[in-house]
C-alpha cells in the first residue's frame, strides 16, 4: 500500500478519535446526549475504517509470473493435510482436510492507481476439502478462513458497493482445485490468463492427468 494513503487514513483516525472524546466529555445534558450519539457514530466509523485498513494491508499486488503460494499435500491416517507455503520465507500453515480435492478461494480486487498499485491485488480467502460427487459433500466441515480480518473486510465492503452499482466491477472471486494425493506439490501462480494451478512434481502431474 502507498505510504501516503496510510498516512492520510491514520490522520483521519486520529482526528476522529479526538472529536469523539471532545464530544463525549461535554457536560451539558441535552447537548451532551446529542453530541454523545454523534460521537459514537464517529467512533463506529473510525473503528470500521481502521478494520478496513488492517484488512487491505494484507492484500498483495498481483504480478504476472509470480508465485502466490505453494500447496503440499500430505497423507494422514484419516484424510489429508494441506500445507500452504507463503511469502519469501515460505512460512507454513497446515490444515487438515477431508475429501478428494483441495479448493483454494482467492479474492482479487482492482485497486485504484493512487493506492500505489499498478492493477490488481489479492488475498487468500479460504481453503477447503471437497469431494467430486456433490452428494458426498454434504456435511463436510473442513473449511478454513485465510483472511486477515473476519469482522469487517474490504471484500465484503466492495461487494455491497457492487450491489448498489452493478456496472462497477471491483472484485473477482477465483476458485482453484487441486487433486489430493500423497506427496503432491502444486504451485499457484499468476499468468496471462489469470491465476492458475501448476503441478510441481510427478505425483501432482499424474493426479491432474487422471482427471482429464
Amino acid at each position: 500500500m502507498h505510504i501516503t494513503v496510510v498516512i492520510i487514513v491514520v490522520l483521519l483516525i486520529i482526528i476522529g478519535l479526538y472529536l469523539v472524546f471532545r464530544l463525549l466529555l461535554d457536560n451539558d445534558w441535552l447537548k451532551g446526549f446529542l453530541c454523545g450519539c454523534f460521537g459514537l457514530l464517529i467512533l463506529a466509523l473510525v473503528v470500521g475504517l481502521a478494520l478496513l485498513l488492517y484488512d487491505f494491508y494484507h492484500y498483495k499486488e498481483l504480478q504476472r509470473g509470480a508465485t502466490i503460494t505453494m500447496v503440499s499435500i500430505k497423507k494422514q491416517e484419516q484424510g489429508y493435510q494441506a500445507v500452504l507455503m507463503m511469502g519469501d520465507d515460505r512460512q507454513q500453515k497446515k490444515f487438515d482436510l477431508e475429501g478428494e480435492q483441495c479448493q483454494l478461494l482467492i479474492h482479487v480486487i482492482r485497486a485504484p492507481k493512487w493506492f500505489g498499485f499498478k492493477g490488481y491485488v489479492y488475498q487468500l480467502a479460504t481453503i477447503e476439502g471437497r469431494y467430486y460427487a456433490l452428494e458426498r459433500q454434504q456435511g463436510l466441515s473442513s473449511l478454513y478462513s485465510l483472511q486477515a480480518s473476519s469482522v469487517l473486510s474490504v471484500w465484503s465492503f466492495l461487494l455491497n458497493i457492487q450491489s448498489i452499482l452493478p456496472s462497477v466491477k471491483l472484485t473477482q472471486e477465483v476458485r482453484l482445485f487441486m487433486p489430493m494425493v500423497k506427496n503432491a506439490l502444486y504451485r499457484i501462480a499468476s499468468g496471462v490468463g489469470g491465476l492458475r494451478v501448476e503441478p510441481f512434481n510427478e505425483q501432482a502431474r499424474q493426479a491432474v492427468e487422471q482427471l482429464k
Side-chain angles (χ1 to χ4, degrees):
M1 185 185 299
H2 201 284
I3 187 63
T4 304
V5 178
V6 175
I7 293 175
I8 292 174
V9 173
V10 170
L11 287 176
L12 289 175
I13 292 174
I14 293 174
I15 293 172
L17 289 174
Y18 171 76
L19 292 175
V20 167
F21 287 112
R22 282 293 302 271
L23 292 171
L24 291 179
L25 292 176
D26 196 300
N27 292 323
D28 183 75
W29 184 83
L30 181 58
K31 183 180 178 181
F33 175 76
L34 295 177
C35 289
C37 291
F38 184 62
L40 290 175
L41 177 61
I42 295 178
L43 179 61
L45 292 175
V46 167
V47 172
L49 184 61
L51 289 173
L52 289 175
L53 178 64
Y54 173 77
D55 184 59
F56 191 73
Y57 175 78
H58 290 83
Y59 277 80
K60 298 180 181 179
E61 188 170 3
L62 195 59
Q63 299 177 343
R64 183 178 299 179
T67 298
I68 305 302
T69 183
M70 301 292 292
V71 181
S72 175
I73 306 298
K74 306 296 182 182
K75 186 73 175 72
Q76 300 188 127
E77 291 184 4
Q78 294 183 347
Y80 293 88
Q81 183 181 76
V83 181
L84 296 185
M85 291 168 282
M86 300 180 293
D88 297 332
D89 56 353
R90 287 291 182 261
Q91 179 184 2
Q92 294 189 3
K93 292 186 177 181
K94 301 179 180 180
F95 306 92
D96 294 331
L97 304 178
E98 300 177 48
E100 299 165 324
Q101 60 180 335
C102 171
Q103 174 187 279
L104 188 63
L105 178 63
I106 303 176
H107 288 166
V108 180
I109 295 176
R110 187 175 65 190
K113 292 183 179 180
W114 50 269
F115 264 47
F117 296 109
K118 296 180 180 179
Y120 293 86
V121 294
Y122 72 92
Q123 182 177 201
L124 302 183
T126 62
I127 186 170
E128 179 183 8
R130 299 186 63 87
Y131 285 100
Y132 296 118
L134 293 178
E135 58 271 14
R136 298 187 64 188
Q137 188 64 28
Q138 296 180 358
L140 199 63
S141 59
S142 56
L143 172 65
Y144 301 90
S145 174
L146 302 173
Q147 292 179 279
S149 175
S150 58
V151 180
L152 183 61
S153 67
V154 174
W155 177 262
S156 59
F157 178 74
L158 293 178
L159 284 182
N160 290 331
I161 294 179
Q162 287 188 171
S163 64
I164 300 174
L165 302 172
S167 60
V168 179
K169 299 298 182 183
L170 300 173
T171 62
Q172 181 183 3
E173 196 173 63
V174 180
R175 297 178 184 272
L176 302 175
F177 297 90
M178 293 154 278
M180 290 197 293
V181 296
K182 183 179 179 181
N183 296 329
L185 181 63
Y186 300 94
R187 175 177 180 254
I188 309 301
S190 172
V192 178
L195 296 173
R196 65 176 185 268
V197 177
E198 298 178 353
F200 210 68
N201 64 3
E202 188 60 31
Q203 290 90 334
R205 282 188 286 269
Q206 290 181 3
V208 171
E209 285 296 326
Q210 290 177 0
L211 296 178
K212 295 181 180 180

